[in-house]
């Protein structure tokens, strides 16, 4: 039985001041970038895309990146470009490569 799935973690959050579409006030928002990753038997295998959210600090409304105004969309896009997936998200793929190299070495030398 192979257990495969995906999870998301918060990579980075950054405060920005912008007009809220819900409470219509110029409030502090928080841009949040989440990184999704695929896991195999609960071992992180590979990163699988980032998602941006904008959270209003006043009314706590959460909007996805494509639902906010173009200014926030651009800031969200730039923030996504700046942050990279952490190396531990490649753990499964790295283990698989190491296992392949080890088995190849054993076959040649053993
Ligand atoms: Zn608001």
């Amino acid at each position: 039985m192979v257990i495969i799935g995906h999870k998301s973690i918060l990579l980075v959050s950054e405060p920005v001041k912008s007009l809220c579409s819900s409470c219509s006030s110029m409030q502090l928002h928080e841009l949040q970038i989440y990184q999704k990753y695929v896991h195999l038997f609960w071992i992180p295998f590979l990163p699988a895309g980032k998602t941006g959210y904008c959270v209003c600090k006043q009314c706590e409304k959460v909007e996805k990146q494509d639902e906010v105004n173009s200014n926030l969309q651009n800031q969200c896009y730039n923030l996504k470009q700046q942050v990279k997936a952490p190396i531990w998200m490649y753990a499964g793929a790295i283990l698989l490569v190491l296992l392949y190299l080890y088995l190849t070495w054993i076959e040649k030398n053993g």
Side-chain angles (χ1 to χ4, degrees), residues 25-75:
S25 60
M26 197 68 172
Q27 289 297 328
L28 198 61
H29 287 68
E30 193 172 84
L31 289 179
Q32 299 177 336
I33 306 297
Y34 282 84
Q35 175 72 57
K36 189 184 216 179
Y37 65 93
V38 177
H39 62 81
L40 188 65
F41 290 105
W42 300 280
I43 298 171
F45 204 80
L46 283 173
K50 295 175 195 150
T51 311
Y53 294 96
C54 186
V55 183
C56 176
K57 292 296 212 177
Q58 176 71 26
C59 66
E60 298 186 355
K61 183 179 184 190
V62 180
E63 293 176 294
K64 281 188 88 172
Q65 179 188 349
D66 51 355
E67 297 169 346
V68 294
N69 63 49
S70 60
N71 180 35
L72 282 177
Q73 278 184 9
N74 285 338
Q75 289 186 51

Side-chain angles (χ1 to χ4, degrees), residues 48-110:
K50 295 175 195 150
T51 311
Y53 294 96
C54 186
V55 183
C56 176
K57 292 296 212 177
Q58 176 71 26
C59 66
E60 298 186 355
K61 183 179 184 190
V62 180
E63 293 176 294
K64 281 188 88 172
Q65 179 188 349
D66 51 355
E67 297 169 346
V68 294
N69 63 49
S70 60
N71 180 35
L72 282 177
Q73 278 184 9
N74 285 338
Q75 289 186 51
C76 210
Y77 177 79
N78 290 337
L79 194 57
K80 270 184 173 178
Q81 298 301 309
Q82 289 170 17
V83 292
K84 303 267 185 248
I87 191 84
W88 60 262
M89 283 190 183
Y90 296 89
I94 291 169
L95 284 174
L96 207 60
V97 169
L98 290 176
L99 180 67
Y100 171 77
L101 292 174
Y102 176 71
L103 291 176
T104 306
W105 184 82
I106 290 284
E107 198 173 295
K108 282 183 183 172
N109 301 306

